[in-house]
Amino acid sequence: MKNKILMFWAIVLIVIVSTVIIFVKPTKLGLDLVGGSRLMLEAETTESIAKITPEVMGRLQFAIENRVNKLGVAETVVQQVGDKRLLIEIPNVTDLKEAKAFLGETAQLEFKKEGPIDKDGNQTWVYTGLSGQDLQRSSLSTDQSGQWVVSLEFNDAGAKKFADLTKSLVGQQMAIFFDGEIQSAPYIRETIYGGKAQISGGNSGFEYAEAERMVNLLNAGALPVPAKIVEENTVGPTLGADSIAKSKFAGLIGLGFVMIFMIAYYRIPGLIADIALIIYSLILFALFKTIPVTLTLAGIAGFILSIGMAVDANILIFERTKEELRAGRNLFTAINSGFDRAFTSIFDSNMTTIITCTILYILGTSIVKGFALTLALGVIVSMLSAITITKNFMHLIFGTGELKYPALFGLRQDEIGKSYEATETKREKARFGILD
């Protein structure tokens, strides 16, 4: 009983934390609920890429999706339109100019060595083969003088290239170019191993905003070809405030009928299931805000569907418990057997749903991914809720006593079976189980 009381207070603590998160953290809503921006990008050819092929567009779409994710915006739509255009829909964007600049920049990082002096006496630079393609990550930091610098970390292939390059350039300069502009040209004094470097921004250093922009662009990846914005406009919410309010009202009405049915049919266990359902909803919604998950209409549908599956798990448990009571099990044994025997069915059904959600998330579009993510999270939380919260409340309320009032479980007195009476052992031991 002590462990059950501790579990109860742990549940209370989780509910309090979830409630605080719900009220403190904002809810991220998708384009269909809050509106946003719509941009049309058109790919442009370069000297090295004379024709825009489907492969080039695929790489461009992948790079743009990464950049949108770096903006901290989820549930975006990035899809190809025609042969060389991409349609981008970004929900709830407040600074469209920043998004346009971020999506359209090339982010070309190149390392070059000294070339011959030109006729005007200027130093030329020759590409070494080491570029942003060899970069694993970049981060913002400061040097010994307190100036902002961009720290670079190469992947395995890039680290080897960088070590070989610095070994061959000892005593010479190596220039770091970003989008065609030289950022720094340090002298190489020794071979640099470990695959790490810094962009210092010259004598004056970087401004914070400039260094942060460079880090974001480098982490998002370079565009395979330049892309210009040929169309832009803002989008209002397709549902509208009135439709959202009506959807909430309809959802509450539906859930209300479900909760009333659970109480009417299962009585006290149904009331426990309703309380567990409310706790489950608080935990799941707090989880959505913590991740955070951007809620669209499809995502809300996944959330509501997962609530229905949470009720379904409780129904399986209660029906198994009633079967055990009809067979003559005492109350404590019937509750435990109901949970144990229903668990396999609950686990199997939830796992098939999670597998389906995984496939939808991997292969689906952004809207389908939102539905799959909310449904999968809901199913996982509902399974934990059914086998922990509901079971804990059932044990605390009913304990190990006898079922004196079968109506509390929605049963008649004549439906309760008689258990085997063991005369060769103590009565208090036999009451906790059946000797078959």
Side-chain angles (χ1 to χ4, degrees):
M1 182 58 70
K2 182 179 179 180
N3 291 336
K4 295 179 179 62
I5 295 175
L6 291 176
M7 175 64 73
F8 171 77
W9 287 112
I11 294 170
V12 171
L13 179 62
I14 292 173
V15 170
I16 294 173
V17 172
S18 299
T19 305
V20 171
I21 291 174
I22 289 173
F23 281 100
V24 171
K25 284 186 172 291
T27 304
K28 297 186 69 175
L29 300 176
L31 190 71
D32 57 346
L33 298 178
V34 295
S37 305
R38 178 181 287 127
L39 304 173
M40 185 73 75
L41 293 186
E42 183 174 288
E44 297 180 317
T45 57
T46 62
E47 294 181 0
S48 58
I49 301 178
K51 182 180 179 181
I52 304 298
T53 63
E55 290 76 18
V56 172
M57 288 302 298
R59 288 161 49 203
L60 178 62
Q61 181 174 350
F62 179 78
I64 291 295
E65 286 177 340
N66 282 342
R67 291 194 173 192
V68 171
N69 291 333
K70 296 300 178 184
L71 280 174
V73 180
E75 292 296 341
T76 57
V77 174
V78 181
Q79 62 184 18
Q80 185 173 343
V81 178
D83 295 331
K84 56 180 182 179
R85 288 190 174 187
L86 287 178
L87 173 65
I88 305 169
E89 294 181 344
I90 310 175
N92 204 20
V93 172
T94 56
D95 192 346
L96 184 58
K97 291 182 179 179
E98 179 183 351
K100 286 164 53 181
F102 190 76
L103 294 176
E105 293 191 46
T106 54
Q108 295 292 337
L109 179 69
E110 297 176 311
F111 291 78
K112 298 183 178 182
K113 62 183 179 180
E114 296 176 353
I117 304 297
D118 63 14
K119 59 182 180 179
D120 297 326
N122 297 320
Q123 177 69 59
T124 62
W125 300 95
V126 180
Y127 179 53
T128 60
L130 183 64
S131 69
Q133 301 292 334
D134 302 302
L135 193 65
Q136 180 171 324
R137 68 175 64 89
S138 65
S139 59
L140 192 61
S141 58
T142 56
D143 59 12
Q144 295 178 347
S145 62
Q147 291 183 332
W148 291 107
V149 296
V150 176
S151 299
L152 307 175
E153 184 176 343
F154 297 100
N155 55 31
D156 293 340
K160 185 177 186 306
K161 286 183 184 180
F162 187 64
D164 294 341
L165 182 60
T166 54
K167 182 178 181 180
S168 64
L169 294 179
V170 172
Q172 304 178 49
Q173 282 182 294
M174 181 181 65
I176 303 174
F177 282 77
F178 183 76
D179 281 351
E181 296 184 4
I182 188 170
Q183 301 296 326
S184 59
Y187 279 93
I188 306 301
R189 294 183 173 84
E190 60 184 5
T191 304
I192 302 176
Y193 298 99
K196 294 183 179 180
Q198 281 187 346
I199 306 176
S200 63
N203 295 327
S204 59
F206 286 121
E207 294 292 333
Y208 176 81
E210 183 183 5
E212 184 183 36
R213 179 186 65 87
M214 187 181 297
V215 167
N216 288 336
L217 285 170
L218 290 173
N219 286 334
L223 300 182
V225 291
K228 65 178 181 180
I229 298 174
V230 295
E231 182 183 334
E232 59 177 278
N233 61 291
T234 56
V235 181
T238 57
L239 298 178
D242 184 59
S243 297
I244 294 175
K246 289 181 178 179
S247 298
K248 289 180 179 179
F249 180 73
L252 290 174
I253 291 295
L255 290 176
F257 275 113
V258 170
M259 296 177 74
I260 292 172
F261 167 79
M262 292 297 292
I263 295 175
Y265 193 80
Y266 293 104
R267 310 298 170 82
I268 297 301
L271 178 61
I272 293 173
D274 289 344
I275 296 173
L277 192 61
I278 295 172
I279 295 174
Y280 154 80
S281 301
L282 290 174
I283 295 173
L284 184 58
F285 196 45
L287 187 61
F288 286 166
K289 289 196 171 190
T290 304
I291 291 179
V293 174
T294 301
L295 289 177
T296 62
L297 191 60
I300 293 173
F303 175 44
I304 297 298
L305 183 58
S306 69
I307 292 177
M309 297 190 69
V311 173
D312 178 65
N314 284 287
I315 289 174
L316 288 173
I317 291 169
F318 296 156
E319 287 296 333
R320 293 296 302 188
T321 301
K322 289 167 71 174
E323 288 179 6
E324 297 298 319
L325 291 172
R326 290 190 183 100
R329 305 299 194 267
N330 62 56
L331 185 56
F332 181 80
T333 305
I335 292 174
N336 283 338
S337 297
F339 278 90
D340 293 342
R341 297 188 178 186
F343 176 77
T344 303
S345 299
I346 295 171
F347 181 80
D348 291 347
S349 63
N350 286 340
M351 282 306 300
T352 55
T353 303
I354 292 172
I355 292 171
T356 303
C357 289
T358 303
I359 296 172
L360 290 175
Y361 190 85
I362 294 173
L363 302 179
T365 61
S366 59
I367 295 177
V368 175
K369 286 182 178 180
F371 171 79
L373 178 61
T374 55
L375 179 57
L377 289 174
V379 167
I380 293 171
V381 176
S382 71
M383 184 165 59
L384 296 175
S385 170
I387 62 178
T388 55
I389 298 176
T390 305
K391 187 175 184 179
N392 180 260
F393 286 1
M394 291 279 284
H395 277 240
L396 286 176
I397 292 175
F398 293 106
T400 60
E402 299 293 339
L403 182 60
K404 297 181 179 179
Y405 304 101
L408 296 179
F409 273 77
L411 294 171
R412 299 189 309 273
Q413 185 66 50
D414 58 358
E415 290 185 272
I416 303 298
K418 293 184 178 180
S419 60
Y420 177 80
E421 183 178 352
T423 57
E424 69 277 9
T425 187
K426 292 183 179 180
R427 181 182 180 86
E428 56 268 21
K429 292 182 178 179
R431 66 189 293 269
F432 288 101
I434 301 298
L435 300 178
D436 294 322

